[in-house]
């Protein structure tokens, strides 16, 4: 695409979408600087390896004030480089969706500063942003989930196997999980399938979590939680289905505070294959699975010696 500064693209939405064989962009088009959608703009550009530095040129106008970033880079399997400063540093005050923005960018190691909005409101979709970014080394600065909708951080950090720098999850010393406006946040698969750390970093409490399904599942290396976790607060959670399933090397889990785990199969496979775990302690449990099932809750937890505080009186006749 070629144009001039006096003939700017007014709607980049889907501009390069599904250009599955596109390998490079030799000319960076000018776009208007008004609020606009970038939804699907590079969606399914399977072979595209980099965006030229011209995308970070302020005069070109790219990403100056997005209203929507949904699936903007989804399925860019080979994307390796985004120019520094491409997203600027001015807060994107109008952007209401980051759903699946970088999902399946499997070769991308670095994402420039991402100026997400803060303040009052529960009006921004934040789930799946970095889903399956298996080569990412650090989360981009500028992140904020303060205004996240109830979709929460479902699969937001799913399969981030190489990230070791989590500093972006602190905003002026406030941990990300302690800084939601919404009181009911879905955390399904949020931290699933990590294998790069031995200690889960402190990023705040899980008080707002309503669904912890597979939240910590399939950890290959993590042995314990950071010492700041004196407990895990899941008192608003109604499902712990497969929460720690496949955490093969977890040695210690802090006391888990719960209340009403009332979803059907709420404790299905919860600690399945926690081979090294010796002790489990719940406090505060007042209700159990709606269907009475505790199916395989401790299956193959071969080192387990203590189960404390888990109320089995809610079990059905055949459970």
């Amino acid at each position: 695409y070629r144009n001039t500064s006096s003939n700017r693209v007014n709607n980049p939405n889907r501009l390069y979408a599904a250009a599955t064989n596109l390998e490079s962009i030799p000319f960076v088009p000018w776009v208007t600087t008004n609020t606009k959608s970038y939804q699907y703009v590079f969606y399914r550009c399977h072979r595209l390896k980099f965006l030229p530095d011209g995308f970070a040129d302020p005069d070109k106008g790219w990403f100056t004030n997005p209203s929507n970033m949904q699936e903007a880079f989804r399925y860019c399997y080979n994307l390796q480089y985004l120019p520094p400063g491409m997203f600027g540093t001015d807060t994107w005050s109008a952007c209401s969706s980051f759903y699946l923005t970088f999902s399946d960018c499997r070769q991308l190691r670095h994402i420039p500063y991402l100026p997400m909005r803060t303040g009052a409101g529960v009006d921004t979709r934040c789930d799946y942003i970095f889903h399956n970014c298996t080569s990412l080394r650090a989360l981009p600065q500028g992140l904020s989930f303060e205004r996240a909708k109830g979709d929460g951080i479902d699969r937001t950090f799913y399969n981030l196997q190489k990230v070791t720098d989590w500093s972006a999850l602190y905003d002026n010393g406030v941990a990300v999980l302690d800084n939601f406006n919404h009181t009911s946040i879905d955390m399904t698969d949020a931290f699933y399938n990590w294998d790069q750390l031995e200690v889960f970093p402190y990023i705040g409490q899980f008080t707002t979590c309503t669904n912890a399904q597979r939240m910590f599942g399939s950890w290959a290396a993590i042995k314990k939680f950071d010492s700041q976790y004196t407990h895990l607060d899941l008192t608003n959670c109604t499902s712990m289905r497969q929460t720690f399933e496949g955490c093969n090397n977890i040695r210690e889990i802090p006391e888990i505070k719960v209340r009403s785990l009332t979803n059907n199969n709420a404790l299905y496979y919860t600690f399945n294959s926690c081979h090294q775990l010796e002790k489990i302690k719940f406090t505060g449990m007042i209700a159990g699975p709606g269907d009475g099932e505790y199916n395989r809750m401790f299956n193959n937890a071969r080192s387990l010696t203590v189960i404390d505080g888990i109320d089995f009186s809610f079990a059905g006749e055949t459970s």
Side-chain angles (χ1 to χ4, degrees), residues 19 28 39 54 64 85 88 96 138 147 168 186 192 209 217 244 268 291 295 318:
V28 179
Q39 185 174 7
T64 51
S96 61
R147 295 171 67 158
D186 189 343
Y192 184 84
C209 177
F244 296 94
Y268 172 83
D291 56 358
N295 188 23
T318 59

Side-chain angles (χ1 to χ4, degrees), residues 143-157:
L143 283 181
S144 175
F145 302 102
E146 186 174 5
R147 295 171 67 158
K149 293 182 177 181
D151 309 281
I153 54 172
D154 176 4
R155 295 171 179 82
T156 294
F157 310 108

Side-chain angles (χ1 to χ4, degrees), residues 101-109 111 128-137 156-163:
T101 299
F102 299 101
S103 179
D104 277 298
C105 289
R106 300 176 188 175
Q107 302 298 322
L108 191 60
R109 293 188 173 199
I111 296 172
Y128 285 80
I129 299 179
F130 310 110
H131 170 261
N132 219 25
C133 289
T134 52
S135 296
L136 195 64
R137 298 309 201 263
T156 294
F157 310 108
Y158 176 97
N159 210 19
L160 299 189
Q161 298 179 4
K162 299 292 188 293
V163 173

Side-chain angles (χ1 to χ4, degrees), residues 16 25 28 31 38 41-42 48 50-66 69 72-73 76 79-90 92 101-102 105 108 110-115:
Y16 297 97
I25 300 174
V28 179
V31 298
Y38 287 89
V41 62
F42 297 103
L48 187 65
F50 69 95
L51 292 186
D53 290 341
F55 279 98
D57 181 350
D59 189 44
K60 291 286 187 175
W62 279 84
F63 301 106
T64 51
N65 197 11
M69 288 288 286
F73 298 92
C76 290
L79 186 64
Q80 298 173 28
Y81 175 80
L82 297 175
M86 187 174 79
F87 300 136
T89 56
D90 293 335
W92 289 349
T101 299
F102 299 101
C105 289
L108 191 60
H110 176 74
I111 296 172
Y113 187 91
L114 197 63

Side-chain angles (χ1 to χ4, degrees), residues 158-175:
Y158 176 97
N159 210 19
L160 299 189
Q161 298 179 4
K162 299 292 188 293
V163 173
T164 55
D165 181 357
W166 298 93
S167 60
L169 296 186
Y170 291 86
D171 182 13
N172 295 320
V174 179

